[in-house]
Amino acid sequence: PGIGGAKGMLGGLSSGPVKQSWNIWCGGDCDGLNSPPERQVCFCLHTMESIADVSRQVIKGVFLIDITQAQRIVADGRADKNDFMLLVGYCGWGRGQMQSELDRGDTWSMAAADQRALLGELREAQLA
C-alpha cells in the first residue's frame, strides 16, 4: 500500500506446503503464498502472556511476534507451534480506499474483535 494506506490480514487455511512443518494461514494476496519465498511477508500471532515481553500487543490478549523468535521459543520447549498462528501475506489498500469501501457498505462490515474472535475459533479450525 502507498503512504497512508492500510494493511489487513484475512484468515484462511492454506492447503499448500507448510513452512518448516508449521500450519500456514493465508493473510492475503500481497506478498503472500503465491509470491517467491524471499518476498513473502509473515505475521505470527499468539495469545501467551508468558512471552508478551518479546512480542507486540495487537489488541488485548493478542500478540505479534517475529517468526524466528517463535521458532526459538518452540525449540526451547516453552511453547508448541500450535500456540502460534502463522499468516503469510496481507491485503493492502491505497490512501482512502478502505474507507471508501466501508462507506459504500457493500464490501466490508465493521465488527468488534477480541482474542476469542481473532484467534480462538481459527485455532480450533486449525487443530481439527
Side-chain angles (χ1 to χ4, degrees):
I3 296 173
K7 281 187 182 179
M9 293 174 283
L10 301 176
L13 185 60
S14 166
S15 60
V18 293
K19 191 174 256 180
Q20 298 182 11
S21 77
W22 285 51
N23 287 320
I24 295 179
W25 291 72
C26 176
D29 290 337
C30 299
D31 297 327
L33 296 170
N34 293 324
S35 297
E38 66 275 5
R39 287 201 45 217
Q40 292 179 350
V41 175
C42 296
F43 300 92
C44 190
L45 300 174
H46 70 85
T47 59
M48 295 175 288
E49 296 282 342
S50 61
I51 58 171
D53 61 324
V54 294
S55 307
R56 185 175 69 186
Q57 187 164 284
V58 178
I59 63 171
K60 184 178 179 175
V62 177
F63 302 90
L64 181 66
I65 188 171
D66 183 79
I67 182 61
T68 56
Q69 181 75 16
Q71 289 170 322
R72 279 195 292 273
I73 289 168
V74 169
D76 292 346
R78 295 189 292 154
D80 183 81
K81 66 183 178 184
N82 289 323
D83 290 326
F84 300 94
M85 175 175 272
L86 178 61
L87 296 113
V88 178
Y90 60 91
C91 295
W93 292 266
R95 182 183 297 261
Q97 180 183 358
M98 180 175 235
Q99 186 62 53
S100 174
E101 291 178 9
L102 285 167
D103 291 345
R104 261 196 343 252
D106 62 351
T107 307
W108 300 102
S109 296
M110 293 291 287
D114 62 12
Q115 176 183 0
R116 175 82 182 136
L118 190 57
L119 290 178
E121 293 172 16
L122 292 174
R123 182 175 292 133
E124 289 171 10
Q126 174 180 328
L127 297 173

